[in-house]
Amino acid sequence: MKKFLVGLLLLAVVGLVFGGMAIAKDKYVVASDIPWDPFEMVTANGQYFGFDLDVMRAIAVVEGFEIQIQNIAFDSIIPAVKAGKVDIGASGFTITEERAKAVTFSDPYYLSNQAVVIRKDSGLNIVTALAGKGPTKAIGGQNGTTGFDWIKDNLIDNGFPVKQKGYETYPMAILDLVNGRVDAVIQDQPASRASLAAYPTKLTIAGIINTYEYFGFLVAKDDPKGILPKINEGMKKLGLTARKNPTGKYDLTVVPGSAWDNLMKAYFGPSSDKIEAAWLKTKDLLLNAQTLADVEKFAAAFAEEANK
């Protein structure tokens, strides 16, 4: 009996000690190039949000780790991941064979094409803009992006009389387009729609280049920290499934009414101003979330608010 009572006492002490201590969670640094609406955004008072960032926050909740977001220039993210300065790249990265030599990608989570953005008053169309018929003969893109690379690979290398102009960010490229310093900007389609919303009287999309690009999150080559299984499983829990089909491409299936579905509804469609206002109103539901149910509650409230 004495041994039994001593054992109970020890168990009680252990319970008091460990019950009052939070279990340490893995913490990963997520690098992103901000802003690039609607994937990466920043509020007027400097809070980071956007589709990529909220997905990473949601995955961290359901997979039981913590994240810290760092704003890094797009073409510096992969070198930073390789050097171990950051753990995850989350910034609308297209999965390419060249990039896959340096880093390892998650399952794809978004399918995008490239848009050709021009000024409404330019008199150009997709053919004349890409053929160098505009006054500057210059086409812009963000350094290190597939849109920027497309200009060289498909226009300059094929003899078209155009100049490739690179920028640190896409908003800088768009601003130069508005001010007439370039004739067109090649940018992913959803971000281009956000650019048009920012300059509705000045810009339009001349056409879409069907590049069929899959976005993925990325980590160091061969995933030495074992992060990718958490990211891939987290995306499934949120409602996205990526399956490779017989053509070698992926079918991305979203569960209706899931957290992923509602995040898509919140971020893709409403204007940037409406997205920001809705996020500010509902963000605490995500930032304080502890469970998948909490994340689902946030996503549903966010989508409803953004689409009012």
Side-chain angles (χ1 to χ4, degrees):
M1 178 61 72
K2 186 182 290 185
K3 290 181 179 179
F4 178 70
L5 291 173
V6 170
L8 286 177
L9 180 60
L10 287 172
L11 287 173
V13 171
V14 170
L16 285 172
V17 172
F18 288 96
M21 295 174 59
I23 298 173
K25 294 181 178 180
D26 290 329
K27 187 171 185 178
Y28 303 120
V29 178
V30 176
S32 192
D33 179 34
I34 307 167
W36 189 55
D37 298 10
F39 291 94
E40 290 82 42
M41 306 172 75
V42 59
T43 66
N45 64 353
Q47 297 178 79
Y48 297 149
F49 68 116
F51 183 76
D52 283 342
L53 304 183
D54 279 355
V55 164
M56 289 307 308
R57 288 178 173 127
I59 291 173
V61 171
V62 300
E63 289 299 305
F65 59 86
E66 296 179 355
I67 63 169
Q68 174 190 343
I69 296 169
Q70 283 190 10
N71 186 9
I72 297 178
F74 186 83
D75 56 358
S76 296
I77 294 176
I78 287 180
V81 171
K82 288 178 63 178
K85 296 178 180 178
V86 300
D87 301 302
I88 301 169
S91 201
F93 277 99
T94 297
I95 301 171
T96 68
E97 290 184 6
E98 187 64 28
R99 288 173 177 165
K101 294 175 183 176
V103 294
T104 299
F105 281 96
S106 69
D107 291 339
Y109 67 89
Y110 193 85
L111 175 61
S112 179
N113 293 303
Q114 296 289 333
V116 180
V117 186
I118 62 171
R119 293 186 309 281
K120 284 185 174 181
D121 63 359
S122 67
L124 299 171
N125 56 43
I126 187 170
V127 174
T128 55
L130 298 181
K133 301 297 183 180
T136 71
K137 300 185 182 302
I139 301 175
Q142 181 171 321
N143 295 327
T145 66
T146 51
F148 179 76
D149 292 342
W150 193 93
I151 301 167
K152 180 179 184 299
D153 295 343
N154 295 275
L155 299 178
I156 294 174
D157 287 355
N158 285 305
F160 287 88
V162 298
K163 294 179 285 187
Q164 180 188 39
K165 192 167 183 181
Y167 297 85
E168 185 177 342
T169 68
Y170 262 117
M172 293 171 64
I174 291 296
L175 186 60
D176 256 14
L177 175 62
V178 170
N179 291 324
R181 298 188 184 99
V182 294
D183 299 325
V185 168
I186 297 182
Q187 180 182 219
D188 286 284
Q189 193 173 354
S192 295
R193 289 195 293 265
S195 297
L196 263 62
Y199 300 98
T201 64
K202 295 182 178 294
L203 301 180
T204 188
I205 292 177
I208 302 299
I209 305 167
N210 291 318
T211 51
Y212 302 104
E213 299 177 38
Y214 292 96
F215 290 179
F217 302 114
L218 59 88
V219 299
K221 188 66 178 175
D222 298 325
D223 190 23
K225 294 186 178 180
I227 304 172
L228 280 189
K230 300 175 184 179
I231 293 177
N232 290 334
E233 185 61 28
M235 289 194 288
K236 290 177 185 176
K237 290 177 182 176
L238 296 177
L240 175 72
T241 301
R243 293 189 180 91
K244 188 171 271 191
N245 61 38
T247 68
K249 299 188 180 299
Y250 284 87
D251 296 319
L252 303 182
T253 304
V254 178
V255 177
S258 64
W260 196 280
D261 185 35
N262 280 318
L263 284 172
M264 294 279 291
K265 290 175 181 175
Y267 276 112
F268 300 102
S271 67
S272 296
D273 288 344
K274 289 193 71 173
I275 294 170
E276 180 176 342
W279 187 82
L280 287 170
K281 192 169 182 177
T282 59
K283 65 181 176 67
D284 288 344
L285 293 172
L286 176 61
L287 300 182
N288 297 321
Q290 299 294 319
T291 66
L292 174 59
D294 293 339
V295 172
E296 290 171 338
K297 183 177 180 181
F298 157 73
F302 182 26
E304 181 179 1
E305 193 68 31
N307 285 280
K308 281 184 178 178

